[in-house]
């Protein structure tokens, strides 16, 4: 009965880690980390929310879709373009990668000419159509990737535990605790980093400079989308896996060894007495 319970928990741990990896991968691949309904003032005295003054934007970590009436109202793809030297990322609608980079770099150069260097420059860039901090953006990707790596390690070691009875502590229950804890930690850090990124940058603006220039605004009209919640679900999968390790009833070898050592010492003491 105990072995059956252990086997069932190991299968659940395998499935949980697989779900965590799939959810994280789908989250990175989809374009709904941020969803916005930007508006534009039709005249100087009143903001009329007509068909012509409403738009929609959904954005992922690499690209997104935008439906904002500038030259036309047709949905168009937009790409996230990062300039590591400047520490910022921007949006561009050009199909050619080189043109995208040039557009964002030229905009930063033109803005820098009329703006003092320092923290005010980044705030000015952010308000005028540059999207987000490069450091936070790359950190989200790195920690999400590490979460996937630890999830893969969890799958490997859950298979080892299903097929054999591991001798080494690190390949047994202690390892399952560690791998799931690391996967849970890194995906949770990904969640925290994106929340910071959203509150500091994306909540204020998800538009290009040319759109802001003709009166469009997405400030306070932006929220996180389902791609973000997939990462949250992945974190919960790894958290449940830790619970399954506990429920399985398998003790870490180091704990069993310690307990056996204490009992042996007690027995020796009674014999000596």
């Amino acid at each position: 009965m105990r072995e059956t319970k252990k086997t069932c928990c190991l299968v659940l741990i395998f499935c949980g880690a697989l779900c965590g990896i799939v959810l994280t991968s789908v989250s990175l691949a989809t374009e709904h980390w941020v969803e916005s309904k930007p508006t534009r003032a039709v005249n100087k005295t009143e903001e009329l929310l007509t068909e012509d003054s409403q738009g929609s934007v959904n954005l992922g970590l690499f690209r997104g879709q935008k439906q904002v009436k500038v030259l036309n109202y047709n949905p168009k793809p937009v790409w996230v373009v990062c300039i590591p030297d400047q520490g910022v990322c921007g949006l561009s609608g050009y199909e050619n990668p080189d043109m995208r980079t040039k557009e964002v770099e030229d905009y930063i150069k033109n803005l820098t000419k009329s703006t003092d260097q320092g923290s005010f420059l980044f705030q000015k860039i952010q308000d005028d159509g540059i999207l987000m901090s490069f450091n936070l953006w790359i950190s989200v990707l790195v920690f999400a990737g590490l979460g996937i790596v630890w999830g893969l390690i969890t799958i490997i070691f859950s298979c080892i535990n299903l097929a054999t009875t591991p001798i080494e502590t690190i390949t047994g229950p202690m390892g399952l605790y560690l791998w799931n804890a690391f996967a849970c930690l890194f995906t949770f850090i990904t969640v925290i980093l994106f929340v910071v990124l959203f509150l500091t940058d994306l909540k204020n603006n998800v538009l290009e400079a040319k759109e802001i220039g003709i009166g469009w605004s997405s400030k306070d009209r932006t929220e996180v989308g389902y791609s973000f919640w997939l990462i949250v679900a992945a974190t919960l999968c790894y958290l449940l896996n830790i619970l399954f390790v506990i429920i399985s009833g398998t003790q870490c070898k180091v704990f069993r060894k310690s307990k056996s050592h204490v009992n042996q010492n007690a027995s020796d003491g009674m014999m000596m007495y």
Side-chain angles (χ1 to χ4, degrees), residues 1-237:
M1 181 66 181
R2 183 176 179 181
E3 286 300 316
T4 302
K5 179 181 177 183
K6 176 184 173 182
T7 301
C8 290
C9 286
L10 287 171
V11 171
L12 289 173
I13 290 169
F14 174 89
C15 294
L18 183 61
C19 285
I21 292 171
V22 170
L23 288 170
T24 304
S25 301
V26 171
S27 175
L28 294 174
T30 50
E31 302 172 358
H32 286 266
W33 282 76
V34 172
E35 297 175 348
S36 181
K37 297 291 183 183
T39 59
R40 179 174 62 88
V42 178
N43 55 51
K44 299 295 183 181
T45 60
E46 185 179 3
E47 185 175 352
L48 301 176
L49 300 181
T50 65
E51 182 181 355
D52 289 340
S53 63
Q54 293 186 25
S56 65
V57 178
N58 60 272
L59 194 63
L61 294 176
F62 303 102
R63 57 170 288 168
Q65 291 287 328
K66 182 183 296 184
Q67 192 169 357
V68 175
K69 187 171 183 179
V70 178
L71 299 176
N72 59 68
Y73 199 59
N74 296 322
K76 69 168 187 175
V78 289
W79 285 266
V80 177
V81 181
C82 290
I83 313 296
D85 294 342
Q86 298 291 337
V88 294
C89 298
L91 284 178
S92 176
Y94 283 105
E95 294 284 344
N96 187 294
D98 293 333
M99 290 296 293
R100 294 178 215 154
T101 303
K102 186 177 185 303
E103 180 185 26
V104 177
E105 286 179 340
D106 288 346
Y107 182 77
I108 294 174
K109 288 178 182 178
N110 293 334
L111 194 60
T112 304
K113 291 178 183 179
S114 59
T115 310
D116 294 334
Q117 296 291 335
S119 59
F120 177 71
L121 172 61
F122 179 77
Q123 186 62 45
K124 178 66 175 173
I125 290 174
Q126 180 193 51
D127 292 342
D128 283 10
I130 296 298
L131 186 63
M132 55 189 170
S133 164
F134 170 77
N135 292 333
L136 283 173
W137 176 82
I138 196 67
S139 295
V140 169
L141 294 179
V142 168
F143 280 97
L146 288 173
I148 291 175
V149 170
W150 289 114
L152 288 171
I153 294 174
T154 298
I155 287 178
I156 292 171
F157 281 95
S158 62
C159 289
I160 291 174
N161 279 265
L162 278 169
T164 64
T165 301
I167 298 175
E168 298 295 331
T169 303
I170 199 67
T171 57
M174 176 61 80
L176 291 176
Y177 277 116
L178 286 175
W179 315 140
N180 280 290
F182 284 142
C184 183
L185 175 64
F186 283 114
T187 50
F188 180 68
I189 291 175
T190 303
V191 170
I192 297 299
L193 287 171
F194 187 78
V195 168
V196 174
L197 182 63
F198 176 79
L199 293 177
T200 56
D201 299 341
L202 298 173
K203 187 177 181 181
N204 297 324
N205 177 48
V206 291
L207 298 170
E208 297 177 67
K210 61 186 178 183
E211 294 154 354
I212 295 175
I214 61 171
W216 285 95
S217 174
S218 62
K219 190 171 183 179
D220 298 326
R221 298 187 63 84
T222 305
E223 59 186 20
V224 295
Y226 71 80
S227 299
F228 168 77
W229 295 113
L230 291 177
I231 283 284
V232 176
T235 305
L236 294 177
C237 285

